[in-house]
């Protein structure tokens, strides 16, 4: 995670979502407020990716992973942009599925999530998942990173983060994303 904001992105537009009674998380806690900017770069398979990411579902998935109110930008990009961001900010010269740029975690979560559309599509195919299920998982994963969760520090942290992802996704109606054939 890097605190520097990538440059050259368009100004976000926001969508504010209020919790509904029908969409409350487990254990009586409330869903958090979210200001979301959902951006699509010029993509080769734009219609397919837009269909997998309807705004109301993206909002629902993210809100279930939030522990605090948030302002989040989600941007879908092609491999070249994802590779450049990963190289420039993480010093890893390849396109990865999701990058989290966390700027603030308290009192409000403020972050950018960058998803590489072709990498996500390829992984979903290889893992036997629907594109939508894989996007839901990666958005939950990225939002947890934005709140300080980390799977790269040690095995115990990785297990805790994975368990949290599985729990959130189960509440959203998705199977364990770490098992083959997840739909």
């Amino acid at each position: 995670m890097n605190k520097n904001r990538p440059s050259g992105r368009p100004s976000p537009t926001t969508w504010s979502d209020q919790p509904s009674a029908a969409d409350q998380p487990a254990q009586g806690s409330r869903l958090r407020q979210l200001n979301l900017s959902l951006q699509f770069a010029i993509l080769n398979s734009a219609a397919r990716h837009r269909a997998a990411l309807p705004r109301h579902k993206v909002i629902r998935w993210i809100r279930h992973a939030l522990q605090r109110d948030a302002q989040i930008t989600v941007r879908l990009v092609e491999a070249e942009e994802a590779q450049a961001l990963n190289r420039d900010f993480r010093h890893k010269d390849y396109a990865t599925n999701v990058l989290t740029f966390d700027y603030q975690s308290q009192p409000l979560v403020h972050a950018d999530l960058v998803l590489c559309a072709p990498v996500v599509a390829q992984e979903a195919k290889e893992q036997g998942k629907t594109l939508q299920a894989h996007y839901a998982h990666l958005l939950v994963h990225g939002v947890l990173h934005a709140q300080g969760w980390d799977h790269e520090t040690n095995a115990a942290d990785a297990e805790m983060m994975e368990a949290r992802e599985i729990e959130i996704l189960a509440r959203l109606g998705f199977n364990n994303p770490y098992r083959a054939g997840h739909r």
Side-chain angles (χ1 to χ4, degrees), residues 22-90:
D23 197 23
Q24 291 301 310
Q27 302 170 344
S29 61
R30 71 173 181 89
L31 287 175
R32 301 303 177 165
Q33 299 292 318
L34 171 65
N35 286 328
L36 174 70
S37 174
L38 182 56
Q39 303 174 359
F40 293 82
I42 298 172
L43 302 173
N44 290 328
S45 303
R48 179 177 177 218
H49 294 278
R50 284 182 185 275
L53 290 164
R55 178 179 293 281
H56 70 282
K57 288 188 179 185
V58 172
I59 290 168
R60 183 171 184 258
W61 302 334
I62 290 174
R63 287 181 59 217
H64 274 268
L66 286 172
Q67 298 163 317
R68 292 180 263 325
D69 295 344
Q71 181 176 339
I72 296 179
T73 297
V74 174
R75 180 170 168 78
L76 270 74
V77 300
E78 285 290 347
E80 296 79 19
E81 185 175 345
Q83 182 174 354
L85 289 169
N86 202 24
R87 181 186 59 240
D88 295 349
F89 291 96
R90 295 182 68 227

